[in-house]
Amino acid sequence: MPVILVASLDQSAAIVEYVRNRMAEQGVDSLVADVGFRGDPTHHADIPREVVFEAAEQTVETLRAMSADEAGGLIASALSSLILDYYLEGKADGVFAVGDRIFAPIAIKAMHQLPFGIPKLVVTTPSDGSVGTMAGSRDILILDSVLDLASDDRISRGLLDNVSLAMSGMVCGDGQDSSPSESALKPLVALSTTVTTEKAVHQSRIFLEGKGYESVIFHVTGPGGRTMESVINEGQVIGVLDITTAGLSTQPMEPEIVGPDRLTAAGRRGIPQVISVGGLDSTCFASDAVITDSFRHRPSHVREDLRVLVRSSAEESAELGAELARRASASTGPTLICLPLRGISSLDAEGEPFWDPDADAALFQAVRDHASGAARVVELDHHIDDPEFCEAMVNSLTEMIAED
Amino acid sequence: MPVILVASLDQSAAIVEYVRNRMAEQGVDSLVADVGFRGDPTHHADIPREVVFEAAEQTVETLRAMSADEAGGLIASALSSLILDYYLEGKADGVFAVGDRIFAPIAIKAMHQLPFGIPKLVVTTPSDGSVGTMAGSRDILILDSVLDLASDDRISRGLLDNVSLAMSGMVCGDGQDSSPSESALKPLVALSTTVTTEKAVHQSRIFLEGKGYESVIFHVTGPGGRTMESVINEGQVIGVLDITTAGLSTQPMEPEIVGPDRLTAAGRRGIPQVISVGGLDSTCFASDAVITDSFRHRPSHVREDLRVLVRSSAEESAELGAELARRASASTGPTLICLPLRGISSLDAEGEPFWDPDADAALFQAVRDHASGAARVVELDHHIDDPEFCEAMVNSLTEMIAED
């Protein structure tokens, strides 16, 4: 059960050696992959940097001529493919990266492209704390260290001992296979949620489970929408119940976090999807302080984590509906858009602060106007939280899956 | 070898149960500590919330009446003390916290108060990515998940399996004790570094090692200065070679990250310290975009990680020198301030972009003017990177330690 140990061997060779020995004591072998491109390697690598660079169709010279960001992106993609090949061939059971504040982001980017479940651990040496934010969309364990770690003192060693043991524990444990419960045989459906659609998602999940499906639920505020698209893209789910498309409204505020790919993976893979408009009544701001002027005087709601939701206007709602319908219409598989005519989030219901039938009407009309191709539209005289609406979405999806 | 499993049992009981069972399969027991204060617990806790609240001298009612931040801070401190007691009594070997975006920061704050080396792991469920930045000053492994994890699907389970195995690996492994090399017997000295003082720190470390000392090196840009102060405070080092006091200049820019405690712990504990002025020639900005107007037209230097250093003015240098001398003068133990008259960082040398003898002279004069009490000042006609300067600092420190 070898671990691929990723590092820049012109910088971190001593740490790599230490960690490798510590894992070996636990019976875990490692394959050292060198991805440094600035200095010259001081140690032997099992996967030399030239192999990684070749996979990236680059030489050390071309990489050095690029910006750190560009070179890092190319190396990350190539590294990710190499690791995945090793993993799929049974030659690697996990990835462990040790890197500085320049290199750690490359390792994290590469790990973002690996499926969930492969043990992933990154130690940054040292970081100013900025690396920790980068992991959010994958199952990556990060230790963001302010210690140099190269100094071989007892505090640094204690830290490296712990991460080596953590990695060893992940690949030695029989966790991945020990509980092949019957649920592993159930078909898996991806659901999208956010705070204001939790009730609808919870109910839909129960309906799905009643029909013998398993659900994986992504929080699509922040980077979760990107994660959901990538899991769909990897073929891990059989269908998608995309109740919460709120990422479309937050995208203009946080374009890099939400990403341009929301609502595209299921359509590209041609798997059945039911889409709704949950959470499109609001744009999510990181705090009250960053609300931009055009949003300032609208109805707003402060979440428990102090993020602030601001009501979408009728004009924005129309744009969001058109964009949603366009993305859904590009699908190559069965696609249904379900419109809950009595409100699209827990805040958008009669008596609640975001209740705005005109804005919702503009959203619905734009969906009707722009839906074409594979995308059918159904309208139900329910609120999104109504069990009848959730059951109807689930029934439609499971019928589409059965016919697919 | 039990693990303290920290969670809010009104929210995360199902995850706690799953993780507890997975660790038990690996032979690891857990003690569940409940620290929720919003809803009512749905499961039994080994350390009930009332015990934690009592240690915080609060009731659930008083906590609920506070802001989340205030309540969280009190709970974190109390939790930290309880965990430390268990650890010191041999009743706990690690801490594993599972929490949402409200709760995870409480667990992380509590872990910040625990010594290095105790295995610490936090899983946030789900997070918007903001939690990852919080770990930076301790050896905390963080998995910042966008998955709900409560849905018991195969992807969430795979993730929880991995973290359970990682935690089990850390506490089962004999890592902490397996290599009691002779270095464990050497006296340990704390050093402070940043990019522009790396050469001086590296040389000093070699001199220290030649004299039979072990070094632990903290990067004091960002939260590393806070970490160094806390490690000194815990009594883990016998002396401090505080070459890089650059945190003082960055503090006005990043007050919460640097913290007000730099240069205070050694003085409070009364252990020998040698202080220099490394890196006080510059203020560190997170990027070019955030440079404030008064810094805009000064000499600047872009680091490899795109952080930008801007030259300190003579006026600022005088203020920094005074502040450094005041903090050093409050020491209760032997304290020496070493001034390198030919430049205070690798950028501040003849021919380098930050070379500014007038600004340095203002710094040095302010140090001379404000040093009093325990703090003596020596001046050397060297650059900070000169081996002679480093050797002199090391000789002074080791003499002070020998006499102490």
Side-chain angles (χ1 to χ4, degrees):
Chain A
M1 45 190 74
V3 163
I4 297 192
L5 187 47
V6 182
S8 167
L9 287 186
D10 49 78
Q11 294 179 317
S12 309
I15 303 178
V16 166
E17 198 56 28
Y18 186 83
V19 165
R20 172 179 213 151
N21 289 337
R22 301 296 293 118
M23 289 199 291
E25 287 169 28
Q26 305 294 320
V28 176
D29 294 331
S30 13
L31 291 168
V32 175
D34 181 17
V35 296
F37 63 101
R38 289 168 188 274
D40 292 319
T42 58
H43 279 60
H44 163 80
D46 304 298
I47 306 173
R49 50 178 70 186
E50 288 74 21
V51 172
V52 181
F53 299 163
E54 196 175 317
E57 300 181 352
Q58 302 294 331
T59 64
V60 69
E61 290 78 20
T62 56
L63 289 166
R64 283 180 184 164
M66 293 176 192
S67 72
D69 232 32
E70 195 185 353
L74 292 170
I75 293 172
S77 290
L79 175 65
S80 192
S81 302
L82 283 170
I83 292 171
L84 194 56
D85 288 346
Y86 272 80
Y87 180 76
L88 294 175
E89 290 165 15
K91 294 185 200 158
D93 295 301
V95 196
F96 187 171
V98 179
D100 64 13
R101 60 189 173 273
I102 305 298
F103 174 70
I106 296 178
I108 293 170
K109 271 184 207 154
M111 290 181 183
H112 274 172
Q113 297 172 46
L114 298 174
F116 271 91
I118 303 177
K120 308 171 184 76
L121 195 153
V122 178
V123 179
T124 73
T125 69
S127 161
D128 56 9
S130 58
V131 171
T133 48
M134 306 181 66
S137 62
R138 268 292 180 245
D139 54 340
I140 307 174
L141 272 165
I142 295 201
L143 194 139
D144 192 351
S145 168
V146 294
L147 294 180
D148 198 62
L149 297 187
S151 70
D152 197 30
D153 62 276
R154 74 200 65 167
I155 295 177
S156 303
R157 273 197 310 269
L159 191 157
L160 291 174
D161 288 346
N162 274 335
V163 289
S164 304
L165 290 168
M167 192 71 213
S168 302
M170 283 197 279
V171 300
C172 285
D174 47 354
Q176 288 81 351
D177 312 306
S178 76
S179 60
S181 64
E182 52 186 279
S183 82
L185 304 169
K186 292 181 186 170
L188 185 64
V189 168
L191 282 81
S192 51
T193 193
T194 186
V195 173
T196 64
T197 56
E198 268 172 0
K199 189 177 170 196
V201 171
H202 178 68
Q203 291 180 141
S204 301
R205 173 187 149 200
I206 291 171
F207 284 122
L208 273 168
E209 288 177 358
K211 288 174 167 284
Y213 289 84
E214 191 176 75
S215 309
V216 54
I217 300 174
F218 297 88
H219 279 251
V220 294
T221 345
R226 281 210 325 265
T227 309
M228 175 164 151
E229 297 298 321
S230 68
V231 165
I232 297 168
N233 207 36
E234 286 158 14
Q236 300 201 47
V237 299
I238 196 168
V240 177
L241 182 44
D242 210 338
I243 295 174
T244 312
T245 40
L248 293 181
S249 49
T250 302
Q251 196 182 345
M253 297 299 116
E254 298 185 324
E256 286 176 26
I257 293 176
V258 176
D261 295 330
R262 273 293 284 138
L263 274 173
T264 61
R268 249 198 330 270
R269 284 194 73 91
I271 60 171
Q273 60 179 333
V274 169
I275 297 167
S276 191
V277 289
L280 281 173
D281 57 324
S282 61
T283 296
C284 181
F285 289 85
S287 73
D288 197 58
V290 300
I291 295 182
T292 47
D293 283 347
S294 62
F295 287 86
R296 180 61 67 188
H297 299 290
R298 311 228 203 129
S300 66
H301 171 81
V302 182
R303 282 179 12 182
E304 206 177 30
D305 58 1
L306 301 181
R307 289 199 155 231
V308 184
L309 303 176
V310 180
R311 192 25 163 132
S312 311
S313 68
E315 194 185 345
E316 285 155 8
S317 296
E319 282 170 23
L320 292 166
E323 183 62 24
L324 178 144
R326 274 193 292 265
R327 294 191 189 191
S329 300
S331 297
T332 61
T335 298
L336 185 70
I337 306 174
C338 287
L339 302 177
L341 298 182
R342 291 184 175 272
I344 64 177
S345 88
S346 60
L347 294 171
D348 176 45
E350 247 185 295
E352 297 297 330
F354 284 6
W355 175 235
D356 185 343
D358 292 342
D360 288 351
L363 171 73
F364 300 146
Q365 191 56 46
V367 171
R368 290 178 201 115
D369 290 347
H370 291 85
S372 64
R376 292 178 299 125
V377 179
V378 296
E379 310 183 14
L380 292 160
D381 193 27
H382 286 293
H383 183 267
I384 198 165
D385 284 347
D386 288 346
E388 293 85 352
F389 184 73
C390 298
E391 189 171 21
M393 286 193 294
V394 168
N395 286 343
S396 298
L397 181 65
T398 55
E399 281 163 24
M400 284 155 65
I401 291 171
E403 288 165 12
D404 192 42
Chain B
M1 46 188 74
V3 162
I4 296 192
L5 188 45
V6 181
S8 167
L9 287 187
D10 50 76
Q11 294 179 318
S12 308
I15 303 179
V16 166
E17 198 57 27
Y18 186 82
V19 165
R20 172 179 214 151
N21 289 338
R22 301 296 293 116
M23 289 200 292
E25 287 170 26
Q26 305 294 319
V28 176
D29 294 330
S30 12
L31 290 167
V32 175
D34 181 17
V35 297
F37 62 101
R38 287 166 189 274
D40 293 319
T42 58
H43 280 59
H44 164 79
D46 303 298
I47 306 173
R49 51 179 68 187
E50 288 74 22
V51 172
V52 182
F53 298 164
E54 197 176 317
E57 301 182 350
Q58 301 295 329
T59 64
V60 67
E61 290 78 20
T62 57
L63 289 166
R64 283 181 184 165
M66 293 177 193
S67 72
D69 233 31
E70 194 185 353
L74 292 170
I75 293 172
S77 291
L79 176 64
S80 192
S81 301
L82 283 170
I83 292 171
L84 195 55
D85 288 345
Y86 272 80
Y87 180 77
L88 294 174
E89 290 166 15
K91 295 186 201 157
D93 294 303
V95 196
F96 188 171
V98 179
D100 65 13
R101 60 190 173 272
I102 303 298
F103 174 69
I106 296 178
I108 294 170
K109 271 184 207 154
M111 290 181 183
H112 274 172
Q113 297 172 45
L114 298 173
F116 272 90
I118 303 177
K120 308 171 185 75
L121 195 153
V122 178
V123 180
T124 73
T125 67
S127 163
D128 56 9
S130 57
V131 170
T133 48
M134 307 182 66
S137 60
R138 268 292 181 245
D139 54 339
I140 307 174
L141 272 165
I142 295 201
L143 194 140
D144 193 351
S145 167
V146 293
L147 293 180
D148 197 61
L149 297 187
S151 71
D152 197 30
D153 62 276
R154 74 199 67 168
I155 295 177
S156 302
R157 273 196 311 267
L159 190 157
L160 291 174
D161 287 346
N162 275 334
V163 290
S164 304
L165 290 167
M167 192 70 213
S168 303
M170 284 197 280
V171 300
C172 287
D174 47 353
Q176 288 81 350
D177 311 307
S178 75
S179 59
S181 65
E182 52 185 276
S183 81
L185 304 170
K186 293 179 184 169
L188 185 63
V189 169
L191 281 81
S192 51
T193 192
T194 186
V195 173
T196 63
T197 56
E198 268 172 0
K199 190 177 170 197
V201 172
H202 178 68
Q203 292 180 142
S204 302
R205 172 187 149 199
I206 291 171
F207 284 121
L208 272 168
E209 288 178 357
K211 288 174 166 285
Y213 289 84
E214 189 175 78
S215 310
V216 54
I217 301 174
F218 297 87
H219 279 249
V220 293
T221 344
R226 279 209 327 262
T227 309
M228 175 164 150
E229 297 297 322
S230 68
V231 165
I232 297 167
N233 207 35
E234 286 159 15
Q236 300 202 47
V237 299
I238 196 168
V240 177
L241 182 45
D242 210 337
I243 294 174
T244 312
T245 40
L248 293 182
S249 49
T250 302
Q251 197 183 343
M253 298 297 117
E254 298 186 324
E256 286 177 25
I257 293 176
V258 175
D261 294 330
R262 273 293 283 138
L263 275 173
T264 61
R268 248 196 334 266
R269 283 194 74 90
I271 61 172
Q273 61 178 333
V274 170
I275 297 167
S276 192
V277 290
L280 281 173
D281 58 322
S282 61
T283 296
C284 181
F285 289 85
S287 74
D288 197 57
V290 299
I291 295 180
T292 47
D293 283 345
S294 62
F295 288 86
R296 179 63 65 188
H297 299 291
R298 314 234 200 121
S300 67
H301 171 81
V302 181
R303 282 180 11 184
E304 206 176 31
D305 59 0
L306 303 181
R307 288 201 156 230
V308 183
L309 303 177
V310 180
R311 187 41 161 119
S312 311
S313 68
E315 193 186 348
E316 285 154 7
S317 297
E319 283 170 23
L320 292 166
E323 183 63 23
L324 179 143
R326 273 193 292 266
R327 294 192 189 191
S329 300
S331 298
T332 60
T335 298
L336 185 70
I337 306 174
C338 287
L339 302 177
L341 299 183
R342 291 186 176 272
I344 64 176
S345 87
S346 59
L347 294 171
D348 176 44
E350 246 184 297
E352 298 297 331
F354 285 5
W355 175 236
D356 185 343
D358 292 342
D360 288 351
L363 172 72
F364 300 146
Q365 192 55 46
V367 170
R368 290 178 201 114
D369 291 346
H370 291 86
S372 63
R376 291 178 299 126
V377 179
V378 296
E379 311 185 12
L380 291 160
D381 192 28
H382 287 294
H383 182 268
I384 197 166
D385 284 347
D386 288 346
E388 294 85 351
F389 184 74
C390 300
E391 190 170 20
M393 287 193 293
V394 167
N395 286 342
S396 299
L397 181 66
T398 54
E399 282 163 23
M400 284 155 64
I401 291 172
E403 288 165 12
D404 192 43

